[in-house]
Amino acid sequence: MSTLEITNLHVQVSTNDGPKPILKGVDLAIASDEIHAIMGPNGSGKSTLAYSIAGHPDYEVTDGQVLLDGEDLLSLSVDERARAGLFLAMQYPVEVPGVSVANFLRTAKTAIDGQAPKVRQWVGEVGSAMERLRMDPSFNQRDVNAGFSGGEKKRFEILQMELLRPRFAVLDETDSGLDVDALRIVSEGVNRLHDSSDAGFLLITHYTRILRYIKPDFVHVFVDGRVAEQGGPDLADRLEEEGYDRYLK
Ligand SMILES: Nc1ncnc2c1ncn2[C@@H]1O[C@H](COP(=O)(O)OP(=O)(O)OP(=O)(O)O)[C@@H](O)[C@H]1O
Ligand SMILES: [Mg+2]
């Protein structure tokens, strides 16, 4: 049993006009095996929350805590956070020219486990994970995300998650831009990890359609840098019908 505990998190970025506060006291606790969905208007700070948890250097934590099983996550470097079991699927996955998918996956796995995976077994694991996510094996030779379509990038994020098997996965709009088949394939990937491990999930989304495939235990409404309301799955349906007006001043 693990917990990711975010308490009173305040985060700012530096701009030409000086520091700009974005997260204004986020409180959120995710226990292992739980799926939490976060929904909120554009610009409310959802990706900022994801980046801050992962350790993006542009986001300065000015107050609050993020604890993973009681350990101060914010004092760890990005790679230490990953080794502690944290995974982020980015809203806009970055292209890494010059680094092949095969090389990237093996290097990440080696870094997280502290030892290189056995070659034959690893190649098999990658192959079957690609098959499940309907990614052609030729992707192995391509550079990370370079020239991938939007949906291919999102599927590759889930491939990484399935192979690295994190304790906590933050998925930032992994459902955006997916066709109906890809949405199902990506959701199945999430459900597979959920069913075969006790990983906790933070699912950032704008749409209830992914929540038809992935059943959240909790839904949080995120407005102006903090959680404005928490509820069960029916809260998502209400948001889709009513929008965010009642949370905005
Ligand atoms: N480096 C930066 N400089 C200036 N403003 C920034 C910077 N990074 C983020 N912001 C601002 O912080 C706010 C929150 O951005 P964020 O990407 O976290 O929103 P979001 O909730 O993920 O939105 P979306 O639903 O559109 O993905 C936005 O208004 C954004 O312009
Ligand atoms: Mg975002």
Side-chain angles (χ1 to χ4, degrees), residues 13 15 20 22 41-48 59 91 173 206:
V13 294
T15 70
K20 174 179 171 184
I22 300 184
N42 292 137
S44 55
K46 304 178 299 299
S47 294
T48 301
Y59 298 86
Q91 182 174 2
E173 295 200 29
H206 284 294

Side-chain angles (χ1 to χ4, degrees), residues 160-222:
Q160 293 165 47
M161 184 193 76
E162 280 211 71
L163 289 168
L164 300 175
R165 300 187 66 79
R167 284 159 73 196
F168 282 97
V170 181
L171 309 179
D172 191 357
E173 295 200 29
T174 303
D175 55 331
S176 289
L178 295 181
D179 68 49
V180 278
D181 294 328
L183 180 69
R184 188 176 41 77
I185 289 164
V186 157
S187 303
E188 283 168 1
V190 173
N191 288 330
R192 261 195 304 275
L193 182 62
H194 182 242
D195 294 343
S196 66
S197 75
D198 63 357
F201 295 86
L202 185 59
L203 200 79
I204 300 170
T205 183
H206 284 294
Y207 307 106
T208 54
R209 53 175 206 158
I210 193 174
L211 305 180
R212 287 204 295 270
Y213 296 103
I214 303 171
K215 291 283 163 236
D217 300 291
F218 303 94
V219 172
H220 309 269
V221 188
F222 203 84

